[in-house]
Amino acid sequence: YLITGGTGGIGRALASWMINKGARNVVLLGRSGDSNPNVAKLLKRYEGTDICIRALACDVSSRPDMVRAVEALADLPKVRGVVHAALELRVR
């Protein structure tokens, strides 16, 4: 499964929920990738288990970023679903 905006709070919560419901391969795409401390904590939770969870730094509005992300996932099974949770907040 692929979650755009996956490194934000909604994406991380969704990833945990999906794993609890049986997902075994989850990819989080977000601008911060695994540099976000909360994402690092989530990844660490599943280290050494049969769960494959990855966080990739990727701006999903950028074609080159998306191409790099897809290439980085070549070793995983085919994507079974995509959740688009990316958003942009503007403070006015």
Side-chain angles (χ1 to χ4, degrees):
Y1 294 95
L2 183 83
I3 304 173
T4 66
T7 59
I10 293 170
R12 292 190 318 269
L14 182 59
S16 294
W17 178 83
M18 291 174 77
I19 290 168
N20 288 335
K21 295 295 181 182
R24 291 294 170 254
N25 296 287
V26 178
V27 177
L28 310 175
L29 297 182
R31 291 185 183 139
S32 64
D34 62 3
S35 67
N36 177 326
N38 293 316
V39 173
K41 188 187 311 183
L42 177 65
L43 299 178
K44 188 152 186 72
R45 181 184 322 155
Y46 295 104
E47 277 182 9
T49 70
D50 65 337
I51 307 298
C52 177
I53 183 168
R54 295 183 190 171
L56 303 175
C58 177
D59 177 348
V60 297
S61 70
S62 163
R63 183 175 177 86
D65 274 12
M66 285 301 299
V67 168
R68 278 191 296 275
V70 169
E71 289 171 350
L73 305 175
D75 63 316
L76 292 177
K78 290 182 181 180
V79 174
R80 294 182 65 186
V82 176
V83 176
H84 182 64
L87 60 103
E88 179 180 342
L89 297 176
R90 291 185 193 173
V91 178
R92 293 179 189 233

